[in-house]
């Protein structure tokens, strides 16, 4: 296992910065998931770690050894891409061990590593098949097996599930989680860096999520990492509006608000035509300051409260419904507010009272920074 350290890493293409000021540590055996919108540099970062691109500035270290000047073959990395890149004329077994035999590894060691990979990824019954006889998820598991038998120090996965349908994606995600768990328990698993645009993969797989933000249009001193931490830390305590809006599905609701009063227990805000409380630390926030209020759909409380809105649309998903509320005229223009509820008795056109619980509210200043929520506000990860 390797400890990965990135210090001030930067990369630009044609004068356009893609990564800037990237400081990060991935601990030995950790599964770190890099997530973010298109153009934020996720795949570029993976290619820098693999040695397929050169850094413009900064340092990359594996176990304290600088690697940014080393060729890929000397870095001890294995990479799995979106495409499976399997040899069509070879069986599953032959695809997995081809690289080991090219390196001249002893036959008994090749068989031992093959057996372990087939077990971990549940490929034993498929060992004699060729790629054309496999599903997409099975092919991707073969590609992963081919990488893990190399015993890399660093394991890089570049959106490995993006070409799979929903069912196969879940199966393969579980296989990756099991692989990481068993390897970490054995003490010899590689550190994993996983890149995806799918936040469900990030939230369910990661020991730590690293959310990258695009640099286009941002200040020259803006860094690439918006926030890094355990998945639920980003969900319940986003550092800024970008993180709050990206993490979570459906996305967080945002509402323009004005500070009505400050106090030792938080803020009073004028929003949606009424006054509501928010359990956040006021700091230097002043009366009359324009802020943005945020609340997740599952925290909007329907059927009570000072706010009132007409139901614009209802999406019934079985175990719960998504209810779209038309914003009150006093709130100005904006998309409908979204509430998530188990209730099945709500219909389009219904006038509904609703509340925004003080302990569930997030407050963001004009520059996007989140005000720290007070102890007990929200759920701790």
């Amino acid at each position: 296992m390797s400890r990965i350290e990135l210090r001030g890493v930067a990369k630009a293409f044609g004068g356009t910065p893609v990564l800037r000021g990237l400081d990060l540590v991935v601990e030995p055996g950790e599964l770190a998931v890099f997530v973010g919108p298109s153009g934020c540099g996720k795949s570029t970062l993976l290619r820098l770690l693999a040695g397929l691109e050169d850094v413009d500035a900064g340092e990359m270290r594996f176990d304290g050894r600088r690697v940014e000047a080393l060729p890929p073959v000397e870095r001890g990395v294995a990479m799995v891409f979106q495409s499976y890149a399997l040899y069509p004329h070879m069986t599953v077994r032959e695809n997995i061990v081809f690289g080991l035999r090219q390196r001249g590894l002893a036959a008994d060691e090749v068989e031992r590593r093959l057996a372990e990979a087939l077990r971990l990824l549940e490929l034993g019954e498929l060992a004699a098949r060729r790629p054309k006889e496999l599903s997409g998820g099975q092919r991707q598991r073969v590609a992963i097996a081919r990488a893990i038998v190399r015993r890399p120090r660093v394991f890089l996965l570049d959106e490995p599930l993006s070409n799979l349908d929903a069912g196969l994606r879940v199966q393969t995600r579980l296989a990756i989680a099991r692989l990481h768990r068993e390897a970490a328990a054995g003490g010899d698993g590689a550190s994993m860096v996983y890149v995806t645009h799918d936040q469900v993969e990030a939230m369910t797989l990661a020991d730590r999520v690293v959310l990258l933000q695009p640099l286009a249009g941002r200040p020259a001193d803006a860094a690439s990492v918006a926030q890094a931490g355990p998945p639920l830390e980003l969900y319940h305590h986003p550092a800024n509006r970008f993180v709050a809006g990206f993490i979570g599905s459906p996305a967080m609701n945002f509402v323009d608000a004005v500070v009505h009063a400050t106090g030792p227990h938080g803020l009073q805000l004028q929003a949606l035509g009424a006054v509501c409380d928010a359990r956040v630390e006021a700091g230097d926030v002043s009366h009359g300051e324009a802020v943005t209020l945020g609340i997740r759909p599952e925290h909007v409380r329907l059927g009570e409260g000072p706010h009132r809105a007409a139901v614009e649309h209802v999406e019934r998903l079985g175990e719960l419904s998504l209810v779209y509320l038309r914003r009150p005229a006093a709130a100005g223009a904006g998309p409908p507010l979204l509430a998530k509820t188990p209730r099945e008795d709500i219909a389009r056109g219904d006038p509904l009272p609703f509340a925004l619980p003080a302990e569930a509210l997030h407050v963001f200043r004009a520059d996007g920074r989140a005000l720290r929520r007070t102890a007990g506000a929200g759920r701790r990860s």
Side-chain angles (χ1 to χ4, degrees), residues 245-266:
F246 189 88
I247 298 293
S249 180
M252 181 181 287
N253 295 296
F254 294 110
V255 175
D256 292 337
V258 174
V259 177
H260 182 72
T262 63
H265 302 295

Side-chain angles (χ1 to χ4, degrees), residues 258-297:
V258 174
V259 177
H260 182 72
T262 63
H265 302 295
L267 299 176
Q268 280 193 329
L269 302 170
Q270 184 74 36
L272 298 173
V275 173
C276 55
D277 295 322
R279 298 285 180 259
V280 296
E281 296 179 6
D284 60 351
V285 173
S286 58
H287 172 76
E289 181 176 338
V291 295
T292 299
L293 177 154
I295 185 166
R296 297 205 178 276

Side-chain angles (χ1 to χ4, degrees), residues 2-19:
S2 287
R3 186 174 193 263
I4 303 170
E5 297 176 75
L6 306 178
R7 302 177 182 176
V9 169
K11 181 65 178 178
F13 293 103
T16 301
V18 178
L19 295 170

Side-chain angles (χ1 to χ4, degrees), residues 11-13 15-20 37-41 212-225 242:
K11 181 65 178 178
F13 293 103
T16 301
V18 178
L19 295 170
R20 182 195 294 136
S38 297
C40 69
L212 301 177
Q213 58 187 339
L215 296 177
R218 300 187 61 81
D221 60 348
S224 293
V225 176
F242 173 78

Side-chain angles (χ1 to χ4, degrees), residues 25-330:
V25 173
V26 178
E27 298 294 346
E30 186 175 48
L31 200 168
V33 177
F34 290 79
V35 66
S38 297
C40 69
K42 305 183 297 295
S43 293
T44 296
L45 176 57
L46 219 61
R47 292 175 64 82
L48 292 175
L49 289 169
L52 303 178
E53 298 282 355
D54 296 325
V55 300
D56 293 338
E59 299 179 4
M60 297 191 301
R61 296 176 181 265
F62 295 172
D63 285 335
R65 181 191 183 198
R66 292 187 64 169
V67 299
E68 65 268 15
L70 294 180
V73 70
E74 295 183 25
R75 297 193 184 194
V77 303
M79 192 165 181
V80 176
F81 299 90
Q82 296 178 37
S83 59
Y84 323 121
L86 302 179
Y87 296 109
H89 62 289
M90 293 184 181
T91 64
V92 166
R93 173 189 297 271
E94 291 165 342
N95 265 283
I96 293 173
V97 302
F98 178 76
L100 300 183
R101 288 175 174 163
Q102 289 294 105
R103 289 163 52 188
L105 210 64
D108 59 342
E109 178 64 13
V110 169
E111 288 302 313
R112 191 174 70 82
R113 294 190 188 187
L114 171 65
E116 182 181 23
L118 292 174
R119 180 187 64 82
L120 281 174
L121 290 159
E122 298 182 338
L123 292 169
E125 295 182 357
L126 308 176
R129 295 188 188 180
R130 287 182 168 78
K132 67 179 181 180
E133 302 172 286
L134 305 176
S135 70
Q138 291 167 340
R139 293 177 193 178
Q140 193 60 280
R141 280 153 52 198
V142 174
I144 294 170
R146 182 178 56 189
I148 66 172
V149 294
R150 293 177 50 194
R151 300 286 173 82
R153 298 162 60 199
V154 178
F155 196 20
L156 307 175
L157 300 101
D158 187 9
E159 301 197 42
L161 311 185
S162 62
N163 292 332
L164 306 182
D165 62 32
L168 290 176
R169 192 172 297 176
V170 172
Q171 293 175 20
T172 311
R173 190 169 73 223
L174 291 174
I176 293 172
R178 182 175 59 252
L179 166 66
H180 175 253
R181 183 172 59 250
E182 292 195 21
D188 59 353
S191 301
M192 286 189 178
V193 176
Y194 186 110
V195 159
T196 181
H197 64 277
D198 186 336
Q199 61 171 287
V200 173
E201 291 176 26
M203 296 293 286
T204 56
L205 282 173
D207 296 319
R208 191 150 53 103
V209 172
V210 181
L211 177 55
L212 301 177
Q213 58 187 339
L215 296 177
R218 300 187 61 81
D221 60 348
S224 293
V225 176
Q227 189 174 353
L232 291 182
E233 182 69 24
L234 273 68
Y235 187 82
H236 293 298
H237 303 283
N240 54 54
R241 179 169 171 169
F242 173 78
V243 178
F246 189 88
I247 298 293
S249 180
M252 181 181 287
N253 295 296
F254 294 110
V255 175
D256 292 337
V258 174
V259 177
H260 182 72
T262 63
H265 302 295
L267 299 176
Q268 280 193 329
L269 302 170
Q270 184 74 36
L272 298 173
V275 173
C276 55
D277 295 322
R279 298 285 180 259
V280 296
E281 296 179 6
D284 60 351
V285 173
S286 58
H287 172 76
E289 181 176 338
V291 295
T292 299
L293 177 154
I295 185 166
R296 297 205 178 276
E298 64 267 28
H299 296 148
V300 177
R301 189 180 300 153
L302 299 178
E304 59 179 286
H307 308 284
R308 196 171 187 86
V311 176
E312 187 170 298
H313 182 64
V314 180
E315 294 177 344
R316 306 196 189 280
L317 305 179
E319 79 281 9
L320 54 84
S321 295
L322 300 180
V323 179
Y324 294 82
L325 302 170
R326 187 176 295 114
R327 294 190 181 220

